[in-house]
Amino acid sequence: MIFLHRAPITWLSTKPNPAESSTIGSQSVAMRSAVDLIAGLRYKLRMFGIPIEGPTNVFCDNEAVVKNCGSPDSTLKKKHHSIAYHRNREAVAAGTIRIAKEPTESNLADVFTKIMAAVKRTELFNMFMY
């Protein structure tokens, strides 16, 4: 799961493509979708006259995606993974986004996607519900 954080909170979650077998592939493609949405939103805000300072923070729970998008040394074998990877790297290099790892202990998206103990689920629900 990938979610974006900028005041106000915006969420993006994608269902993996059935043909996609690897987690890094599906999350890399989801990251590309997030990058495209961020670029569009930043452009609209600039057109409204709102100055954008600094990169947008993108939090991802897949450490491999964070490392691959953060370092320019990575190479991927599959072409559709490579296209998503290069789009993500371009955004990082341009300073449009900053990618960070979101630990499972504080990942609010995990409430909807993973089985967890009632105590932990309640704790995460209380972070965003009244």
Side-chain angles (χ1 to χ4, degrees):
M1 291 296 164
I2 298 173
F3 66 93
L4 317 173
H5 182 286
R6 191 97 166 150
I9 295 177
T10 304
W11 292 79
L12 174 68
S13 176
T14 61
K15 182 178 176 185
N17 184 348
E20 193 63 65
S21 60
S22 69
T23 306
I24 188 168
S26 62
Q27 291 209 354
S28 182
V29 171
M31 176 80 72
R32 179 180 176 217
S33 297
V35 167
D36 291 340
L37 289 171
I38 289 168
L41 183 61
R42 289 172 64 98
Y43 180 74
K44 284 180 186 177
L45 290 172
R46 283 195 312 268
M47 292 298 108
F48 288 141
I50 300 170
I52 306 293
E53 296 178 10
T56 302
N57 295 323
V58 178
F59 297 96
C60 180
D61 67 350
N62 189 322
E63 193 167 341
V65 173
V66 173
K67 286 182 180 178
N68 277 337
C69 293
S71 72
D73 302 339
S74 301
T75 58
L76 298 172
K77 304 277 187 235
K78 296 183 180 176
K79 187 171 184 172
H80 62 282
H81 293 179
S82 181
I83 292 168
Y85 163 76
H86 286 294
R87 176 67 178 114
N88 298 339
R89 278 293 311 145
E90 177 187 25
V92 170
T96 305
I97 64 168
R98 179 177 37 221
I99 302 172
K101 171 91 170 78
E102 178 67 30
T104 302
E105 296 80 34
S106 62
N107 190 348
L108 300 177
D110 283 351
V111 171
F112 303 107
T113 60
K114 294 184 180 167
I115 297 171
M116 58 182 62
V119 174
K120 182 63 180 168
R121 187 177 61 244
T122 304
E123 180 184 319
L124 288 174
F125 269 135
N126 289 336
M127 293 174 118
F128 67 90
M129 293 179 67
Y130 309 124

